[in-house]
Amino acid sequence: MALSISRRVLRSFGSLSGFGRCGDSSSLTSQSFRASHESSSFIKGALSSLAHRRLSTSNVTSESTDGSFPSDLLSAKNVVTPQREIGLYQDLVIPVTNFHNEDKGLMVLAGDVFDVPIRKDIIHRVVRWQLAKRQQGTHSTKTISEVSGTGRKPYRQKGTGRARHGTLRGPQFRGGAVMHGPKPRSHAFKLNKKVRRLGLKIALTARAAEGKLLVFEDLEVPTHKTKNIVNYVIEMENTKKLLVVDGGPINEKLKLATQNLHYVNLLPSIGLNVYSILQHDTLVMSRDAVNKIVERMHTPIKR
């Protein structure tokens, strides 16, 4: 760039000397050297400023500046950080707090549990498996041998002009049997353990990606009063249903404080499942619960 500018300056001086506006060649040489020196110093300053800009990582907005920078040159729009790409199996760092909103440090979430690719088909299969497995299947109807009534032939076979019948307990009569009706049975079907485990990982990943996964140091509450939990849920943004997961048995005070709230449910870590996570928009887990879930996901599947 410096070479091109100096050539341009020399060319301009050459054109001027052609018109007879310059006296001698020595003055021309000194002026061209001075012009090239000034242009090179200007270019070096510009490159150094560009390098400084490239190394700078701070974002200056109209709210963050103290008036030293002209406000009309700053954008009034909020700076939007790029969204994190999901499903790269990267470990996540999440802050740890408690019901008093105290800072309890940070926790690293395993990427192979909390950052797996989202697959709706796996979630659909696991939810269907859960709902089918929990269905009671106690439906029952009576066959012709179970309906109470006489086994006598209602009337003679011929001569009455009516249709022939051998019993009044048939399905065509009121109070009679039900043909091919449901009987008590299990609606459960087999689903591989790998698929079930993957479904739980996907549900945890979805909550972590939405910012709806909170990690608490513990689930200790000062009293068993319901108003404490109500006030805490009110302070949370965009929370309609809350699922609280503890590593071991649920604390008695917390159980008493939440048993009257239909939008707060408690689960031990061993009972955490995909359907419960999907039914609640916010998931609160204790540090112990996270460790036990990760340990469960890393345990080899028994064949």
Side-chain angles (χ1 to χ4, degrees):
M1 185 183 292
L3 185 60
S4 64
I5 292 177
S6 60
R7 284 179 177 175
R8 194 179 307 142
V9 172
L10 288 173
R11 196 179 300 117
S12 64
F13 276 107
S15 62
L16 290 176
S17 63
F19 284 102
R21 296 182 181 178
C22 291
D24 52 352
S25 60
S26 60
S27 63
L28 174 63
T29 306
S30 61
Q31 290 177 3
S32 61
F33 177 74
R34 191 181 303 112
S36 62
H37 179 70
E38 291 176 356
S39 62
S40 61
S41 60
F42 171 76
I43 292 167
K44 288 181 181 178
L47 290 176
S48 63
S49 64
L50 287 174
H52 177 71
R53 286 181 59 189
R54 184 163 56 250
L55 294 175
S56 176
T57 58
S58 60
N59 294 319
V60 182
T61 60
S62 57
E63 288 80 9
S64 63
T65 183
D66 54 354
S68 59
F69 202 84
S71 59
D72 55 343
L73 299 180
L74 298 175
S75 175
K77 297 182 180 179
N78 295 327
V79 178
V80 180
T81 57
Q83 294 292 333
R84 179 180 64 87
E85 190 173 352
I86 306 173
L88 299 181
Y89 300 96
Q90 295 178 349
D91 293 344
L92 308 178
V93 179
I94 188 170
V96 181
T97 180
N98 57 12
F99 281 114
H100 305 287
N101 290 325
E102 298 174 349
D103 186 13
K104 294 295 182 178
L106 301 173
M107 185 174 187
V108 179
L109 304 180
D112 56 349
V113 177
F114 293 91
D115 190 23
V116 301
I118 302 295
R119 289 187 56 183
K120 295 182 180 179
D121 59 319
I122 298 295
I123 294 292
H124 177 256
R125 289 177 62 185
V126 176
V127 169
R128 283 190 64 246
W129 171 78
Q130 276 191 245
L131 297 182
K133 190 175 178 62
R134 80 176 189 177
Q135 190 170 343
Q136 289 184 353
T138 55
H139 38 51
S140 179
T141 55
K142 291 184 177 181
T143 62
I144 196 169
S145 62
E146 296 170 337
V147 175
S148 63
T150 179
R152 171 179 172 272
K153 188 176 176 67
Y155 44 82
R156 61 181 182 171
Q157 182 80 357
K158 291 180 175 292
T160 62
R162 301 176 63 186
R164 53 196 175 187
H165 293 291
T167 179
L168 292 178
R169 294 185 296 174
Q172 69 271 33
F173 291 108
R174 181 178 176 272
V178 176
M179 298 303 296
H180 310 295
K183 282 294 185 179
R185 67 182 181 91
S186 173
H187 292 264
F189 56 87
K190 182 180 181 297
L191 188 64
N192 292 338
K193 291 182 181 178
K194 283 186 177 181
V195 180
R196 287 147 50 183
R197 181 173 290 187
L198 180 58
L200 184 56
K201 292 180 181 179
I202 293 172
L204 293 173
T205 299
R207 287 292 173 262
E210 295 168 352
K212 293 293 187 177
L213 174 62
L214 307 179
V215 178
F216 282 14
E217 181 67 27
D218 51 45
L219 298 180
E220 296 292 333
V221 290
T223 63
H224 64 281
K225 293 292 185 180
T226 305
K227 64 180 180 181
N228 297 330
I229 304 297
V230 172
N231 293 334
Y232 180 78
V233 175
I234 290 175
E235 292 177 359
M236 301 176 69
E237 296 180 358
N238 301 325
T239 299
K240 295 183 179 179
K241 294 194 71 176
L242 186 67
L243 179 62
V244 182
V245 183
D246 201 356
I250 304 298
N251 185 13
E252 266 318 305
K253 289 183 180 179
L254 182 61
K255 191 183 297 184
L256 293 174
T258 58
Q259 65 181 359
N260 241 7
L261 302 176
H262 67 277
Y263 50 85
V264 179
N265 292 314
L266 307 178
L267 274 180
S269 62
I270 193 65
L272 185 63
N273 58 87
V274 175
Y275 189 65
S276 296
I277 294 176
L278 296 181
Q279 278 195 319
H280 301 79
D281 54 10
T282 303
L283 179 62
V284 175
M285 301 179 67
S286 65
R287 190 190 288 267
D288 187 28
V290 173
N291 292 331
K292 289 190 175 182
I293 288 295
V294 172
E295 181 183 358
R296 194 170 94 190
M297 294 295 105
H298 290 167
T299 303
I301 297 176
K302 294 181 180 180
R303 299 292 182 181

